[in-house]
Amino acid sequence: MLDFRISTFLALCKTMSYTKTAILLNLTQPAVTQHIQYLENQYQVKLFQYIGKTLYLTKQGELLQKLATTMQADSYKVIEQLKKCEQEMQKLTIGATLTIGEYALPQVLEQLAMEQPKTQLTMYVENTQELLKRLNDGEIDFAFIEGQFNKEDYSSMCFSKERFIAVCSPSHPFASARVSLEALLNEKLIIREKGSGTRDILETVLQERSLKVTGFQTVTEIGNLNVIKQFVEYELGITFLYYQAAKRELEEETLKQIDVIDFDVTREFHFVFLKNSIFEEKYISFFKYARDIYTKI
């Protein structure tokens, strides 16, 4: 549904090469140039500029890229909804980071399934960077994110505020001691991969104290939170995670929270969707529905 010249513009934004864009879109290079010139004449701005031999977006080009990306994502959803307009079933494709997807949303989605059985739901559980990419590409409607993101590029609302804690095995000396964050650096750290929300939060907290993840005795990266908790339980290291993700283990005392001095860390889980989306009202309605259920859990 987008103007074909906008599609050419977005392709050029990705490749930053007229030649590569022409090959990608099966066009001639002069045709790509004509499409861009048409847009520049229509909007009366310069969208690209060369610095040396390297092509760059102008500020106006960067703004058009953001607006056009939202238009493209919405366009895909419009086509999808028009195809299904005669069906009663509603379709939602959502994304969630690991902690939210596994420990915050299940009861929300269970309630949704009972109250709206005709809703067709697809959920991707991935790290923050992958979810933002899917959002930009129009592959998901919205995302629940625990990590860092540029709030200027998206519409977002606070879904919940969660405590971020350190945990160890019940038999670890730190299970019954009050320790400094610096003392933890002598331990083996088990942590999520780069790009995950949990990893981002820990790195930010450490940086605020002039510390780094690499300062721990050893660092083991594991992409599965349940495996991380098992490693900690088996005394293979310590980890940092959201309280909600370790709530069951803490109650069953298979894990113990470490009492870290001056470590009162709380972060927000965010509900995120593209700015200026024509489906904003629908997304906000789901946000309120999900938040109301979650706050009662």
Side-chain angles (χ1 to χ4, degrees):
M1 294 177 65
L2 281 183
D3 185 290
F4 62 90
R5 286 158 292 215
I6 290 291
S7 298
T8 301
F9 167 75
L10 288 174
L12 183 56
C13 288
K14 289 184 177 181
T15 66
M16 297 308 289
S17 164
Y18 283 88
T19 302
K20 291 180 181 179
T21 300
I23 295 172
L24 180 66
L25 299 180
N26 196 26
L27 297 172
T28 64
Q29 187 169 328
V32 173
T33 302
Q34 288 174 6
H35 292 180
I36 301 305
Q37 288 177 343
Y38 174 89
L39 293 175
E40 290 180 332
N41 291 333
Q42 182 181 36
Y43 298 126
Q44 293 296 299
V45 294
K46 193 71 175 174
L47 299 174
F48 294 90
Q49 63 179 353
Y50 277 101
I51 299 179
K53 295 183 178 181
T54 304
L55 187 65
Y56 292 92
L57 277 165
T58 64
K59 289 185 178 180
Q60 294 88 344
E62 290 176 353
L63 176 59
L64 180 60
Q65 182 186 27
K66 291 180 181 179
L67 295 173
T69 297
T70 298
M71 290 164 56
Q72 185 179 60
D74 282 345
S75 177
Y76 295 149
K77 297 184 182 70
V78 168
I79 293 172
E80 185 175 289
Q81 290 211 356
L82 289 175
K83 288 180 179 178
K84 296 183 178 294
C85 67
E86 295 182 358
Q87 301 180 11
E88 293 183 7
M89 183 181 295
Q90 180 187 20
K91 183 177 180 181
L92 280 176
T93 304
I94 71 178
T97 47
L98 187 60
T99 300
I100 302 175
E102 291 193 9
Y103 304 101
L105 286 185
Q107 288 176 274
V108 172
L109 301 182
E110 180 182 348
Q111 187 75 16
L112 175 68
M114 289 189 295
E115 294 181 359
Q116 302 180 35
K118 293 185 178 181
T119 297
Q120 179 181 327
L121 179 69
T122 302
M123 182 168 75
Y124 293 94
V125 179
E126 296 173 326
N127 66 39
T128 299
Q129 293 177 1
E130 288 299 318
L131 290 177
L132 293 177
K133 182 179 184 303
R134 285 189 183 274
L135 194 60
N136 292 334
D137 292 342
E139 296 177 8
I140 58 177
D141 296 310
F142 45 77
F144 292 86
I145 289 176
E146 65 192 77
Q148 306 291 331
F149 65 98
N150 190 342
K151 292 185 179 180
E152 293 183 359
D153 292 340
Y154 303 92
S155 291
S156 65
M157 289 167 281
C158 176
F159 180 67
S160 67
K161 293 184 178 180
E162 307 287 341
R163 287 193 294 133
F164 192 69
I165 63 173
V167 297
C168 64
S169 164
S171 57
H172 193 287
F174 288 167
S176 56
R178 183 169 170 77
V179 299
S180 66
L181 183 59
E182 287 74 13
L184 297 185
L185 297 178
N186 296 318
E187 300 298 312
K188 297 176 181 178
L189 176 67
I190 306 169
I191 193 64
R192 290 282 310 284
E193 76 284 356
K194 292 182 179 179
S196 71
T198 303
R199 174 70 171 258
D200 287 345
I201 296 302
L202 176 59
E203 289 182 337
T204 299
V205 171
L206 291 174
Q207 187 176 19
E208 290 171 352
R209 293 162 172 76
S210 300
L211 302 173
K212 295 181 178 180
V213 166
T214 53
F216 285 82
Q217 183 185 128
T218 62
V219 179
T220 302
E221 296 183 1
I222 299 177
N224 186 297
L225 201 50
N226 286 320
V227 174
I228 290 176
K229 289 187 289 185
Q230 288 179 354
F231 271 45
V232 174
E233 183 181 345
Y234 298 155
E235 300 184 57
L236 298 176
I238 66 169
T239 194
F240 293 79
L241 39 60
Y242 286 101
Y243 172 83
Q244 187 68 27
K247 182 178 179 181
R248 178 175 61 82
E249 289 81 4
L250 292 171
E251 291 175 347
E252 295 175 355
E253 298 188 349
T254 57
L255 292 178
K256 284 287 187 178
Q257 180 176 344
I258 302 174
D259 186 4
V260 185
I261 299 170
D262 295 328
F263 192 80
D264 184 14
V265 180
T266 302
R267 289 294 188 271
E268 295 181 348
F269 286 177
H270 286 96
F271 178 82
V272 182
F273 57 94
L274 293 179
K275 277 189 173 181
N276 305 313
S277 173
I278 61 174
F279 301 103
E280 180 173 333
E281 185 176 345
K282 170 187 172 183
Y283 297 161
I284 293 177
S285 177
F286 183 89
F287 162 76
K288 292 179 179 178
Y289 173 83
R291 185 185 57 183
D292 288 346
I293 295 174
Y294 185 69
T295 54
K296 295 174 184 177
I297 296 174

